Amino acid sequence: MTRTAIAAALAAIILTAPALAAPAPAADDPRIAALKAEAVAGVAARAKQAQVINDMVFSFGELAFQEVETSKYLTGVLEKAGFTVTRGVAGLPTGWTAKWTQGSGGPVIALGSDIDCIPKASQKPGVPTRDPIVPGAPGHGEGHNSGQALNIVAALALKDLMAKHKIAGTLVLWPGVAEELVAGKAYMVRDKVFDGVDATIFTHVADNLSVSYGQPDGTGNVSVRYRFHGSSAHSAGKPWVGRSALDAVELMNVGWNFRREHLRPEQRSHYVITDGGDQPNVVPSEASVWYFFREQSFDAIAANFAIGNKMADAAAMMTDTTVDRDIIGTAAPQYFNKPMAEAAAANIAAVGLPQWDAADQALARAVQVSIKSDKQDGLATTIEGLKPPKDKPESGGSDDIGDISWTMPTITIRYPANIPGLPGHNWANAIAMATPIAHKGIIAGAKVEAMTLVDLLMKPELLVAAKAWFKDVQTKDQKYRPVLSATDKPQIQINADKMAEFRPAMAKFYYDPAKYGTYLEQLGIKWPSVPVGK
Protein backbone atom coordinates (compact mmCIF):
# COMPACT_ATOMS: atom_id res chain seq x y z
CA MET A 1 0.00 0.00 0.00
CA THR A 2 1.36 3.42 -0.96
CA ARG A 3 1.57 6.29 1.52
CA THR A 4 -1.19 8.06 -0.40
CA ALA A 5 -3.44 5.04 -0.07
CA ILE A 6 -2.61 4.71 3.62
CA ALA A 7 -3.43 8.37 4.22
CA ALA A 8 -6.72 7.86 2.39
CA ALA A 9 -7.47 4.87 4.61
CA LEU A 10 -6.94 6.99 7.72
CA ALA A 11 -9.21 9.65 6.27
CA ALA A 12 -11.87 6.98 5.79
CA ILE A 13 -11.55 6.03 9.46
CA ILE A 14 -12.11 9.64 10.46
CA LEU A 15 -15.05 10.15 8.09
CA THR A 16 -16.86 7.03 9.29
CA ALA A 17 -16.37 7.71 13.01
CA PRO A 18 -19.57 8.19 15.07
CA ALA A 19 -20.85 11.60 16.07
CA LEU A 20 -18.35 13.44 18.27
CA ALA A 21 -18.77 15.75 21.22
CA ALA A 22 -15.89 17.99 20.06
CA PRO A 23 -14.85 19.52 16.71
CA ALA A 24 -12.52 17.51 14.49
CA PRO A 25 -8.80 18.14 15.16
CA ALA A 26 -6.36 19.53 12.64
CA ALA A 27 -5.09 16.90 10.22
CA ASP A 28 -1.60 15.44 10.52
CA ASP A 29 0.91 15.98 7.75
CA PRO A 30 0.82 13.23 5.10
CA ARG A 31 3.77 11.25 6.45
CA ILE A 32 2.39 11.13 10.02
CA ALA A 33 -1.07 10.31 8.71
CA ALA A 34 0.34 7.46 6.65
CA LEU A 35 2.25 6.04 9.62
CA LYS A 36 -0.85 6.26 11.81
CA ALA A 37 -2.95 4.46 9.23
CA GLU A 38 -0.31 1.74 9.03
CA ALA A 39 -0.30 1.45 12.84
CA VAL A 40 -4.10 1.20 12.89
CA ALA A 41 -3.96 -1.53 10.25
CA GLY A 42 -1.37 -3.36 12.35
CA VAL A 43 -3.68 -3.29 15.35
CA ALA A 44 -6.69 -4.43 13.32
CA ALA A 45 -4.68 -7.35 11.95
CA ARG A 46 -4.07 -8.50 15.53
CA ALA A 47 -7.72 -8.53 16.63
CA LYS A 48 -7.64 -12.30 17.07
CA GLN A 49 -4.49 -12.12 19.19
CA ALA A 50 -6.08 -9.44 21.37
CA GLN A 51 -9.15 -11.61 21.88
CA VAL A 52 -7.03 -14.60 22.91
CA ILE A 53 -4.91 -12.58 25.36
CA ASN A 54 -8.00 -10.96 26.87
CA ASP A 55 -9.88 -14.22 27.28
CA MET A 56 -6.85 -16.05 28.65
CA VAL A 57 -6.21 -13.50 31.39
CA PHE A 58 -9.93 -13.43 32.19
CA SER A 59 -9.86 -17.19 32.76
CA PHE A 60 -6.93 -16.93 35.21
CA GLY A 61 -8.82 -14.55 37.54
CA GLU A 62 -5.93 -13.94 39.95
CA LEU A 63 -6.02 -11.72 43.04
CA ALA A 64 -3.55 -8.99 43.94
CA PHE A 65 0.06 -10.17 44.37
CA GLN A 66 -0.92 -13.65 43.10
CA GLU A 67 -1.03 -12.89 39.36
CA VAL A 68 1.31 -15.83 38.71
CA GLU A 69 -0.27 -17.45 35.65
CA THR A 70 -1.17 -14.05 34.21
CA SER A 71 2.39 -12.73 34.35
CA LYS A 72 3.87 -16.01 33.13
CA TYR A 73 1.57 -15.97 30.13
CA LEU A 74 1.99 -12.29 29.22
CA THR A 75 5.77 -12.32 29.50
CA GLY A 76 5.83 -15.45 27.36
CA VAL A 77 3.86 -13.67 24.64
CA LEU A 78 6.22 -10.70 24.75
CA GLU A 79 9.42 -12.75 24.79
CA LYS A 80 8.21 -14.70 21.78
CA ALA A 81 7.65 -11.36 20.03
CA GLY A 82 11.26 -10.28 20.66
CA PHE A 83 10.94 -8.20 23.83
CA THR A 84 13.55 -8.48 26.58
CA VAL A 85 11.79 -9.35 29.83
CA THR A 86 13.00 -8.58 33.35
CA ARG A 87 10.99 -10.40 36.01
CA GLY A 88 10.52 -9.79 39.73
CA VAL A 89 11.05 -6.03 39.57
CA ALA A 90 10.75 -3.94 42.77
CA GLY A 91 10.39 -7.03 44.95
CA LEU A 92 7.16 -8.00 43.18
CA PRO A 93 7.25 -11.67 42.10
CA THR A 94 4.56 -10.97 39.49
CA GLY A 95 6.09 -7.64 38.44
CA TRP A 96 8.08 -7.35 35.21
CA THR A 97 9.15 -5.10 32.39
CA ALA A 98 9.33 -6.01 28.70
CA LYS A 99 11.54 -3.82 26.52
CA TRP A 100 12.17 -3.49 22.80
CA THR A 101 14.52 -0.95 21.21
CA GLN A 102 14.98 0.32 17.68
CA GLY A 103 17.95 2.41 16.57
CA SER A 104 19.37 4.89 19.06
CA GLY A 105 16.76 3.91 21.64
CA GLY A 106 15.11 7.24 22.30
CA PRO A 107 12.51 8.35 23.13
CA VAL A 108 11.49 5.75 25.71
CA ILE A 109 7.73 5.29 26.12
CA ALA A 110 6.20 3.03 28.78
CA LEU A 111 2.84 1.28 28.38
CA GLY A 112 1.11 0.02 31.52
CA SER A 113 -2.15 -1.59 32.59
CA ASP A 114 -3.36 -3.52 35.64
CA ILE A 115 -3.69 -7.31 35.88
CA ASP A 116 -5.29 -8.24 39.24
CA CYS A 117 -8.91 -9.07 39.95
CA ILE A 118 -11.64 -8.84 42.61
CA PRO A 119 -12.57 -11.30 45.42
CA LYS A 120 -15.78 -13.32 45.00
CA ALA A 121 -16.38 -11.94 41.48
CA SER A 122 -16.23 -15.19 39.51
CA GLN A 123 -18.84 -14.88 36.76
CA LYS A 124 -19.61 -16.55 33.45
CA PRO A 125 -19.10 -14.01 30.67
CA GLY A 126 -22.06 -13.15 28.50
CA VAL A 127 -24.61 -14.30 31.10
CA PRO A 128 -26.66 -11.33 32.38
CA THR A 129 -27.54 -12.86 35.76
CA ARG A 130 -25.39 -14.08 38.66
CA ASP A 131 -23.72 -17.30 37.52
CA PRO A 132 -20.19 -17.88 38.88
CA ILE A 133 -17.74 -20.12 37.08
CA VAL A 134 -16.45 -21.27 40.48
CA PRO A 135 -18.68 -20.24 43.43
CA GLY A 136 -16.88 -17.96 45.88
CA ALA A 137 -13.82 -17.60 43.66
CA PRO A 138 -12.25 -14.34 42.50
CA GLY A 139 -12.89 -12.94 39.05
CA HIS A 140 -12.36 -9.93 36.81
CA GLY A 141 -15.12 -7.77 38.25
CA GLU A 142 -13.22 -4.64 37.25
CA GLY A 143 -11.99 -5.70 33.84
CA HIS A 144 -8.24 -5.75 34.44
CA ASN A 145 -7.98 -8.72 32.09
CA SER A 146 -8.26 -6.40 29.08
CA GLY A 147 -5.58 -3.71 29.35
CA GLN A 148 -2.52 -5.82 28.62
CA ALA A 149 -4.20 -7.26 25.53
CA LEU A 150 -4.64 -3.67 24.33
CA ASN A 151 -1.07 -2.65 25.13
CA ILE A 152 0.50 -5.73 23.59
CA VAL A 153 -1.23 -5.50 20.22
CA ALA A 154 -0.55 -1.75 20.05
CA ALA A 155 3.12 -2.34 20.92
CA LEU A 156 3.48 -5.14 18.36
CA ALA A 157 1.96 -2.96 15.67
CA LEU A 158 4.44 -0.18 16.57
CA LYS A 159 7.34 -2.59 16.72
CA ASP A 160 6.72 -3.64 13.12
CA LEU A 161 6.27 -0.02 12.07
CA MET A 162 9.45 1.15 13.80
CA ALA A 163 11.51 -1.66 12.33
CA LYS A 164 10.17 -1.14 8.82
CA HIS A 165 10.65 2.64 8.77
CA LYS A 166 13.77 2.75 10.99
CA ILE A 167 12.03 4.88 13.64
CA ALA A 168 14.20 5.17 16.73
CA GLY A 169 12.68 4.55 20.13
CA THR A 170 12.09 2.13 22.97
CA LEU A 171 8.82 0.55 24.09
CA VAL A 172 8.57 -0.66 27.69
CA LEU A 173 5.54 -2.67 28.81
CA TRP A 174 4.78 -3.29 32.48
CA PRO A 175 1.89 -4.57 34.64
CA GLY A 176 -0.01 -2.89 37.43
CA VAL A 177 0.47 -5.49 40.15
CA ALA A 178 -1.97 -5.48 43.08
CA GLU A 179 -3.68 -2.29 41.90
CA GLU A 180 -6.81 -3.18 43.86
CA LEU A 181 -4.66 -2.73 46.99
CA VAL A 182 -2.76 0.25 45.46
CA ALA A 183 0.26 -1.85 46.37
CA GLY A 184 2.52 -2.12 43.35
CA LYS A 185 3.32 1.03 41.39
CA ALA A 186 4.72 3.11 44.27
CA TYR A 187 7.26 0.34 44.90
CA MET A 188 8.21 0.40 41.22
CA VAL A 189 8.69 4.17 41.39
CA ARG A 190 10.70 3.95 44.62
CA ASP A 191 12.96 1.26 43.18
CA LYS A 192 13.58 3.28 39.98
CA VAL A 193 11.99 0.81 37.57
CA PHE A 194 10.99 3.77 35.38
CA ASP A 195 14.34 5.56 35.34
CA GLY A 196 15.09 6.70 31.80
CA VAL A 197 11.45 6.59 30.65
CA ASP A 198 10.31 9.79 28.92
CA ALA A 199 6.53 9.34 29.16
CA THR A 200 3.90 6.80 30.17
CA ILE A 201 0.63 5.83 28.52
CA PHE A 202 -1.60 3.95 30.94
CA THR A 203 -4.78 2.19 29.84
CA HIS A 204 -7.84 1.39 31.93
CA VAL A 205 -11.13 -0.30 31.16
CA ALA A 206 -14.19 1.97 30.97
CA ASP A 207 -17.50 2.23 29.13
CA ASN A 208 -16.42 4.98 26.73
CA LEU A 209 -13.32 6.19 24.90
CA SER A 210 -11.78 9.17 26.66
CA VAL A 211 -8.73 10.92 28.05
CA SER A 212 -8.26 13.82 30.46
CA TYR A 213 -5.61 16.16 31.81
CA GLY A 214 -4.95 17.79 35.16
CA GLN A 215 -6.42 16.24 38.30
CA PRO A 216 -9.40 13.99 37.57
CA ASP A 217 -12.16 12.92 39.93
CA GLY A 218 -10.92 10.56 42.59
CA THR A 219 -8.51 10.42 45.51
CA GLY A 220 -5.05 9.41 46.58
CA ASN A 221 -4.75 6.73 49.21
CA VAL A 222 -2.70 5.11 51.94
CA SER A 223 -3.43 1.42 52.50
CA VAL A 224 -2.21 0.39 55.96
CA ARG A 225 -2.72 -2.52 58.33
CA TYR A 226 -2.56 -2.04 62.10
CA ARG A 227 -1.53 -5.04 64.18
CA PHE A 228 -2.39 -5.02 67.88
CA HIS A 229 -0.60 -7.30 70.34
CA GLY A 230 -2.01 -8.26 73.74
CA SER A 231 -2.00 -11.38 75.90
CA SER A 232 -4.37 -14.31 76.02
CA ALA A 233 -6.34 -15.71 78.94
CA HIS A 234 -9.37 -17.91 79.56
CA SER A 235 -12.34 -15.73 78.58
CA ALA A 236 -14.48 -17.16 81.41
CA GLY A 237 -11.89 -18.26 83.96
CA LYS A 238 -9.56 -15.24 84.24
CA PRO A 239 -10.43 -12.67 81.59
CA TRP A 240 -8.92 -9.88 83.70
CA VAL A 241 -5.49 -11.39 83.18
CA GLY A 242 -5.74 -11.02 79.41
CA ARG A 243 -5.24 -7.95 77.27
CA SER A 244 -7.54 -8.08 74.24
CA ALA A 245 -6.04 -7.04 70.93
CA LEU A 246 -9.55 -7.27 69.47
CA ASP A 247 -10.78 -4.68 71.98
CA ALA A 248 -8.07 -2.36 70.66
CA VAL A 249 -9.18 -2.92 67.07
CA GLU A 250 -12.79 -2.20 67.95
CA LEU A 251 -11.90 0.91 69.94
CA MET A 252 -9.85 2.23 67.03
CA ASN A 253 -12.77 1.65 64.67
CA VAL A 254 -15.24 3.32 67.03
CA GLY A 255 -12.92 6.31 67.38
CA TRP A 256 -12.48 6.65 63.63
CA ASN A 257 -16.20 6.38 62.99
CA PHE A 258 -16.92 9.18 65.47
CA ARG A 259 -14.18 11.28 63.87
CA ARG A 260 -15.69 11.02 60.37
CA GLU A 261 -18.12 13.85 61.11
CA HIS A 262 -15.18 16.18 61.59
CA LEU A 263 -13.29 15.23 58.43
CA ARG A 264 -13.63 16.85 55.02
CA PRO A 265 -16.61 15.54 53.02
CA GLU A 266 -14.18 14.69 50.23
CA GLN A 267 -12.39 12.05 52.30
CA ARG A 268 -13.16 8.36 51.88
CA SER A 269 -12.06 5.80 54.45
CA HIS A 270 -12.90 2.14 54.95
CA TYR A 271 -11.63 -0.80 56.96
CA VAL A 272 -11.91 -4.56 57.35
CA ILE A 273 -10.92 -6.58 60.41
CA THR A 274 -8.44 -9.08 58.99
CA ASP A 275 -7.79 -10.92 62.29
CA GLY A 276 -10.32 -10.83 65.11
CA GLY A 277 -8.97 -13.65 67.24
CA ASP A 278 -9.26 -17.41 67.16
CA GLN A 279 -12.24 -18.49 69.28
CA PRO A 280 -14.55 -16.85 71.81
CA ASN A 281 -13.22 -18.59 74.92
CA VAL A 282 -9.69 -17.23 74.41
CA VAL A 283 -8.96 -13.53 74.90
CA PRO A 284 -7.46 -12.51 71.52
CA SER A 285 -3.78 -11.85 71.91
CA GLU A 286 -3.45 -10.76 68.27
CA ALA A 287 -5.82 -8.78 66.09
CA SER A 288 -5.47 -6.55 63.06
CA VAL A 289 -7.46 -4.06 61.03
CA TRP A 290 -6.80 -2.84 57.49
CA TYR A 291 -7.58 0.76 56.55
CA PHE A 292 -7.77 2.76 53.35
CA PHE A 293 -7.35 6.51 53.99
CA ARG A 294 -8.35 8.43 50.85
CA GLU A 295 -8.14 12.16 50.16
CA GLN A 296 -7.56 14.52 47.26
CA SER A 297 -4.20 16.13 48.03
CA PHE A 298 -0.85 15.12 49.46
CA ASP A 299 -1.46 17.26 52.56
CA ALA A 300 -4.95 15.89 53.22
CA ILE A 301 -3.84 12.28 52.78
CA ALA A 302 -0.98 12.81 55.23
CA ALA A 303 -3.31 14.50 57.73
CA ASN A 304 -5.83 11.63 57.74
CA PHE A 305 -3.07 9.03 57.93
CA ALA A 306 -1.70 10.86 60.99
CA ILE A 307 -5.16 10.82 62.60
CA GLY A 308 -5.42 7.10 61.94
CA ASN A 309 -2.05 6.51 63.59
CA LYS A 310 -3.17 8.58 66.58
CA MET A 311 -6.36 6.52 66.88
CA ALA A 312 -4.34 3.30 66.82
CA ASP A 313 -1.93 4.52 69.48
CA ALA A 314 -4.82 5.68 71.67
CA ALA A 315 -6.63 2.33 71.32
CA ALA A 316 -3.45 0.52 72.34
CA MET A 317 -3.08 2.78 75.40
CA MET A 318 -6.69 2.18 76.45
CA THR A 319 -6.27 -1.61 76.31
CA ASP A 320 -2.70 -1.99 77.55
CA THR A 321 -1.75 -3.53 74.22
CA THR A 322 0.89 -2.52 71.70
CA VAL A 323 0.48 -1.70 68.04
CA ASP A 324 2.60 -1.62 64.91
CA ARG A 325 1.66 -1.02 61.32
CA ASP A 326 2.50 -2.18 57.80
CA ILE A 327 2.02 0.08 54.80
CA ILE A 328 0.52 -2.18 52.18
CA GLY A 329 0.31 0.40 49.44
CA THR A 330 -0.08 4.02 48.52
CA ALA A 331 -1.52 6.03 45.66
CA ALA A 332 -0.75 9.66 44.96
CA PRO A 333 -3.57 11.84 43.61
CA GLN A 334 -3.61 11.40 39.83
CA TYR A 335 -2.48 14.24 37.57
CA PHE A 336 -2.32 13.90 33.80
CA ASN A 337 -0.39 15.68 31.07
CA LYS A 338 -2.18 18.19 28.85
CA PRO A 339 -0.12 18.03 25.62
CA MET A 340 -0.20 14.23 25.62
CA ALA A 341 -3.92 14.21 26.40
CA GLU A 342 -4.61 16.59 23.53
CA ALA A 343 -2.70 14.34 21.15
CA ALA A 344 -4.60 11.26 22.35
CA ALA A 345 -7.92 13.12 22.09
CA ALA A 346 -7.26 13.89 18.44
CA ASN A 347 -6.65 10.20 17.84
CA ILE A 348 -9.81 9.28 19.75
CA ALA A 349 -11.72 11.58 17.43
CA ALA A 350 -10.23 9.77 14.44
CA VAL A 351 -10.90 6.25 15.70
CA GLY A 352 -14.32 6.71 17.29
CA LEU A 353 -16.32 4.18 19.26
CA PRO A 354 -16.69 0.58 18.08
CA GLN A 355 -19.59 -0.24 15.80
CA TRP A 356 -21.77 -2.08 18.30
CA ASP A 357 -24.16 -4.58 16.72
CA ALA A 358 -27.60 -5.65 17.90
CA ALA A 359 -26.18 -8.53 19.95
CA ASP A 360 -23.78 -6.26 21.83
CA GLN A 361 -26.56 -3.82 22.69
CA ALA A 362 -28.98 -6.58 23.67
CA LEU A 363 -26.55 -8.07 26.18
CA ALA A 364 -25.67 -4.65 27.59
CA ARG A 365 -29.32 -3.72 28.15
CA ALA A 366 -30.08 -7.12 29.65
CA VAL A 367 -27.28 -6.67 32.19
CA GLN A 368 -28.44 -3.15 33.04
CA VAL A 369 -31.99 -4.40 33.61
CA SER A 370 -30.78 -7.44 35.59
CA ILE A 371 -28.89 -5.33 38.14
CA LYS A 372 -31.58 -2.62 38.18
CA SER A 373 -29.17 0.03 36.92
CA ASP A 374 -30.44 3.58 36.61
CA LYS A 375 -28.97 3.49 33.09
CA GLN A 376 -30.68 1.05 30.74
CA ASP A 377 -29.96 2.36 27.24
CA GLY A 378 -27.10 0.01 26.42
CA LEU A 379 -23.60 0.79 25.20
CA ALA A 380 -22.29 4.29 24.56
CA THR A 381 -22.80 5.63 21.05
CA THR A 382 -21.45 9.16 21.57
CA ILE A 383 -17.79 9.64 22.27
CA GLU A 384 -16.57 11.49 25.36
CA GLY A 385 -13.19 12.58 24.05
CA LEU A 386 -11.02 15.07 25.89
CA LYS A 387 -12.00 15.91 29.44
CA PRO A 388 -10.57 19.19 30.78
CA PRO A 389 -10.08 19.32 34.55
CA LYS A 390 -12.90 20.39 36.82
CA ASP A 391 -12.46 23.42 39.05
CA LYS A 392 -13.27 21.11 41.95
CA PRO A 393 -12.73 17.41 41.18
CA GLU A 394 -15.18 15.08 42.88
CA SER A 395 -14.09 12.48 45.39
CA GLY A 396 -14.01 8.80 44.50
CA GLY A 397 -11.69 5.91 43.85
CA SER A 398 -7.90 5.74 43.72
CA ASP A 399 -5.34 4.34 41.29
CA ASP A 400 -1.63 4.13 41.95
CA ILE A 401 -0.92 5.36 38.43
CA GLY A 402 -0.95 8.62 40.38
CA ASP A 403 2.55 7.88 41.67
CA ILE A 404 3.88 7.49 38.15
CA SER A 405 2.02 10.60 36.98
CA TRP A 406 4.08 12.70 39.45
CA THR A 407 7.39 11.37 38.14
CA MET A 408 6.96 11.86 34.37
CA PRO A 409 4.40 13.02 31.78
CA THR A 410 1.55 10.50 31.97
CA ILE A 411 -1.94 9.98 30.58
CA THR A 412 -4.62 7.34 30.98
CA ILE A 413 -6.53 6.25 27.90
CA ARG A 414 -9.91 4.84 28.95
CA TYR A 415 -11.39 2.39 26.46
CA PRO A 416 -14.97 1.06 26.05
CA ALA A 417 -14.72 -2.62 27.00
CA ASN A 418 -17.50 -2.62 29.58
CA ILE A 419 -21.15 -1.66 30.06
CA PRO A 420 -22.35 1.71 31.41
CA GLY A 421 -24.23 1.93 34.69
CA LEU A 422 -22.63 -0.99 36.55
CA PRO A 423 -21.67 -0.85 40.26
CA GLY A 424 -17.92 -1.45 39.86
CA HIS A 425 -15.91 -4.00 41.84
CA ASN A 426 -18.78 -6.40 41.30
CA TRP A 427 -19.50 -9.67 39.51
CA ALA A 428 -21.69 -7.74 37.04
CA ASN A 429 -18.62 -5.89 35.79
CA ALA A 430 -17.16 -9.23 34.70
CA ILE A 431 -20.05 -10.13 32.39
CA ALA A 432 -18.84 -8.20 29.32
CA MET A 433 -15.14 -8.79 29.82
CA ALA A 434 -14.74 -11.94 27.69
CA THR A 435 -17.34 -11.09 25.05
CA PRO A 436 -17.31 -9.22 21.73
CA ILE A 437 -18.02 -6.03 23.69
CA ALA A 438 -14.61 -6.21 25.37
CA HIS A 439 -12.90 -7.47 22.22
CA LYS A 440 -14.14 -4.50 20.17
CA GLY A 441 -13.38 -1.99 22.93
CA ILE A 442 -9.81 -3.25 23.23
CA ILE A 443 -9.17 -2.79 19.53
CA ALA A 444 -10.57 0.76 19.60
CA GLY A 445 -8.30 1.61 22.52
CA ALA A 446 -5.29 -0.06 20.92
CA LYS A 447 -5.75 1.99 17.75
CA VAL A 448 -5.77 5.19 19.80
CA GLU A 449 -2.70 4.10 21.75
CA ALA A 450 -0.80 3.10 18.59
CA MET A 451 -1.56 6.45 16.94
CA THR A 452 -0.49 8.32 20.07
CA LEU A 453 2.76 6.37 20.10
CA VAL A 454 3.37 7.54 16.52
CA ASP A 455 2.85 11.11 17.74
CA LEU A 456 5.36 10.70 20.56
CA LEU A 457 7.95 9.03 18.35
CA MET A 458 7.58 11.24 15.29
CA LYS A 459 6.81 14.66 16.77
CA PRO A 460 9.73 15.70 18.99
CA GLU A 461 7.91 18.93 19.78
CA LEU A 462 5.13 16.94 21.49
CA LEU A 463 7.48 15.34 24.01
CA VAL A 464 9.19 18.71 24.58
CA ALA A 465 5.80 20.30 25.27
CA ALA A 466 4.77 17.42 27.54
CA LYS A 467 7.91 17.71 29.63
CA ALA A 468 7.61 21.50 29.80
CA TRP A 469 4.01 21.26 31.01
CA PHE A 470 5.06 18.66 33.60
CA LYS A 471 7.84 20.94 34.86
CA ASP A 472 6.29 24.40 34.54
CA VAL A 473 2.63 23.64 35.36
CA GLN A 474 2.14 20.34 37.15
CA THR A 475 5.17 20.37 39.44
CA LYS A 476 5.76 24.11 39.64
CA ASP A 477 4.18 24.49 43.07
CA GLN A 478 3.82 20.88 44.25
CA LYS A 479 6.08 17.85 44.05
CA TYR A 480 5.67 14.12 44.46
CA ARG A 481 5.55 13.16 48.13
CA PRO A 482 6.15 9.42 48.47
CA VAL A 483 4.78 7.65 51.54
CA LEU A 484 6.91 4.52 51.31
CA SER A 485 10.15 4.35 53.25
CA ALA A 486 13.28 2.59 52.07
CA THR A 487 12.45 -0.36 54.35
CA ASP A 488 8.79 -0.89 53.41
CA LYS A 489 8.32 -4.11 51.48
CA PRO A 490 5.52 -5.35 49.22
CA GLN A 491 3.11 -7.52 51.20
CA ILE A 492 3.34 -10.34 48.70
CA GLN A 493 1.83 -12.91 51.06
CA ILE A 494 -1.59 -11.28 50.79
CA ASN A 495 -4.18 -13.45 49.00
CA ALA A 496 -1.87 -16.47 48.82
CA ASP A 497 -4.25 -18.51 50.97
CA LYS A 498 -7.30 -17.50 48.93
CA MET A 499 -5.69 -18.42 45.64
CA ALA A 500 -4.44 -21.71 47.11
CA GLU A 501 -8.04 -22.46 48.07
CA PHE A 502 -9.62 -21.64 44.72
CA ARG A 503 -6.90 -22.13 42.10
CA PRO A 504 -7.31 -25.93 41.70
CA ALA A 505 -11.00 -25.51 40.81
CA MET A 506 -10.35 -22.42 38.68
CA ALA A 507 -7.57 -24.16 36.74
CA LYS A 508 -10.11 -26.57 35.28
CA PHE A 509 -11.61 -23.60 33.44
CA TYR A 510 -8.46 -21.96 32.07
CA TYR A 511 -8.98 -20.98 28.45
CA ASP A 512 -7.56 -23.31 25.81
CA PRO A 513 -7.30 -21.32 22.55
CA ALA A 514 -5.93 -24.35 20.71
CA LYS A 515 -9.32 -26.03 21.08
CA TYR A 516 -11.77 -23.15 21.27
CA GLY A 517 -12.13 -19.97 19.28
CA THR A 518 -13.27 -17.94 22.29
CA TYR A 519 -13.73 -18.42 26.01
CA LEU A 520 -17.50 -18.17 25.48
CA GLU A 521 -17.26 -21.17 23.16
CA GLN A 522 -15.21 -23.13 25.72
CA LEU A 523 -17.81 -22.47 28.42
CA GLY A 524 -20.64 -23.41 26.08
CA ILE A 525 -22.25 -19.96 26.23
CA LYS A 526 -24.20 -18.90 23.17
CA TRP A 527 -23.61 -15.33 21.94
CA PRO A 528 -25.72 -13.43 22.56
CA SER A 529 -27.30 -15.25 25.49
CA VAL A 530 -30.39 -13.02 25.35
CA PRO A 531 -32.87 -12.36 22.54
CA VAL A 532 -31.70 -9.64 20.17
CA GLY A 533 -34.00 -6.63 20.01
CA LYS A 534 -35.44 -7.20 23.48
Side-chain angles (χ1 to χ4, degrees):
M1 182 181 288
T2 66
R3 285 186 176 177
T4 301
I6 293 171
L10 182 61
I13 293 172
I14 297 172
L15 290 172
T16 58
L20 305 178
D28 288 313
D29 69 55
R31 183 180 183 224
I32 300 296
L35 289 171
K36 285 186 177 182
E38 193 172 341
V40 165
V43 168
R46 291 174 170 83
K48 177 60 181 178
Q49 184 177 20
Q51 173 258 308
V52 169
I53 295 170
N54 175 83
D55 289 9
M56 184 69 78
V57 177
F58 182 93
S59 74
F60 292 143
E62 295 174 303
L63 291 166
F65 287 125
Q66 307 305 319
E67 311 97 338
V68 177
E69 296 297 335
T70 299
S71 285
K72 178 181 177 182
Y73 169 72
L74 295 173
T75 54
V77 170
L78 288 162
E79 279 186 322
K80 186 176 181 180
F83 283 71
T84 300
V85 173
T86 302
R87 294 176 173 84
V89 299
L92 301 165
T94 54
W96 46 268
T97 60
K99 182 182 295 186
W100 182 83
T101 297
Q102 168 68 33
S104 62
V108 181
I109 311 300
L111 309 177
S113 200
D114 301 322
I115 58 174
D116 58 332
C117 75
I118 302 291
K120 298 182 175 64
S122 177
Q123 171 67 26
K124 291 178 182 176
V127 178
T129 55
R130 185 69 168 118
D131 193 358
I133 299 171
V134 175
H140 277 287
E142 167 124 345
H144 284 175
N145 60 296
S146 57
Q148 289 294 339
L150 186 164
N151 287 353
I152 287 173
V153 297
L156 294 183
L158 260 293
K159 176 178 176 286
D160 285 354
L161 187 77
M162 293 164 70
K164 176 181 177 181
H165 297 284
K166 302 296 187 285
I167 298 170
T170 298
L171 304 177
V172 181
L173 280 75
W174 55 272
V177 171
E179 187 277 335
E180 299 299 346
L181 313 184
V182 295
K185 299 183 187 75
Y187 288 99
M188 296 174 78
V189 171
R190 184 197 66 181
D191 292 354
K192 304 186 184 306
V193 171
F194 300 105
D195 276 16
V197 175
D198 292 295
T200 287
I201 300 176
F202 189 67
T203 56
H204 198 282
V205 60
D207 54 42
N208 209 307
L209 193 55
S210 66
V211 68
S212 61
Y213 64 89
Q215 182 171 348
D217 291 340
T219 56
N221 186 5
V222 176
S223 170
V224 57
R225 179 175 48 208
Y226 296 93
R227 299 178 183 272
F228 292 88
H229 313 283
S231 57
S232 65
H234 194 299
S235 298
K238 290 187 177 181
W240 57 87
V241 175
R243 296 292 178 264
S244 174
L246 178 59
D247 285 353
V249 164
E250 292 186 306
L251 284 167
M252 179 183 179
N253 294 343
V254 168
W256 185 261
N257 288 331
F258 274 105
R259 186 62 181 264
R260 287 178 196 273
E261 180 185 1
H262 310 290
L263 300 174
R264 280 171 24 102
E266 292 82 1
Q267 74 86 29
R268 299 288 186 270
S269 51
H270 352 269
Y271 60 80
V272 292
I273 297 174
T274 53
D275 179 5
D278 298 303
Q279 56 193 55
N281 65 330
V282 178
V283 173
S285 60
E286 301 289 329
S288 59
V289 60
W290 183 2
Y291 269 81
F292 276 21
F293 298 111
R294 305 186 198 248
E295 252 287 6
Q296 292 190 296
S297 69
F298 289 109
D299 286 342
I301 295 166
N304 281 7
F305 185 26
I307 295 170
N309 291 338
K310 185 185 295 186
M311 293 284 184
D313 292 339
M317 290 168 58
M318 285 188 284
T319 54
D320 283 333
T321 59
T322 60
V323 63
D324 52 47
R325 67 176 187 264
D326 300 314
I327 292 179
I328 292 174
T330 176
Q334 299 168 66
Y335 204 103
F336 297 127
N337 189 267
K338 184 178 181 182
M340 287 176 61
E342 289 173 336
N347 297 323
I348 286 172
V351 171
L353 288 168
Q355 298 297 317
W356 309 119
D357 62 22
D360 302 329
Q361 291 287 14
L363 189 278
R365 293 188 184 103
V367 173
Q368 291 168 337
V369 170
S370 174
I371 65 165
K372 299 180 172 59
S373 173
D374 58 3
K375 185 175 180 62
Q376 298 188 2
D377 55 354
L379 300 166
T381 56
T382 302
I383 210 159
E384 290 182 357
L386 184 63
K387 293 182 175 180
K390 297 178 180 178
D391 292 336
K392 185 175 175 54
E394 297 177 11
S395 188
S398 312
D399 193 313
D400 48 359
I401 189 61
D403 289 76
I404 295 172
S405 75
W406 284 97
T407 61
M408 73 182 74
T410 301
I411 57 170
T412 291
I413 295 173
R414 292 172 286 274
Y415 54 94
N418 217 317
I419 298 168
L422 305 189
H425 289 190
N426 185 274
W427 58 268
N429 290 73
I431 293 172
M433 292 313 304
T435 73
I437 294 171
H439 303 152
K440 293 174 184 178
I442 288 166
I443 294 302
K447 289 177 180 178
V448 172
E449 182 172 67
M451 293 169 74
T452 307
L453 284 168
V454 171
D455 286 326
L456 288 166
L457 292 169
M458 297 301 297
K459 299 178 180 178
E461 68 276 11
L462 173 58
L463 204 51
V464 169
K467 291 183 176 182
W469 199 84
F470 178 80
K471 176 178 178 289
D472 299 333
V473 178
Q474 178 178 346
T475 60
K476 179 181 179 181
D477 298 317
Q478 54 182 336
K479 308 295 182 185
Y480 177 47
R481 288 169 53 182
V483 175
L484 297 178
S485 71
T487 58
D488 288 318
K489 295 181 179 180
Q491 300 294 302
I492 59 176
Q493 77 286 349
I494 291 176
N495 290 322
D497 55 344
K498 292 180 183 177
M499 287 309 303
E501 176 185 356
F502 288 108
R503 195 185 295 277
M506 295 170 65
K508 298 175 183 178
F509 297 94
Y510 288 170
Y511 177 40
D512 185 351
K515 292 183 178 180
Y516 302 97
T518 67
Y519 195 44
L520 287 174
E521 180 186 343
Q522 178 170 326
L523 295 176
I525 297 169
K526 180 183 177 182
W527 178 260
S529 60
V530 297
V532 175
K534 297 282 185 171

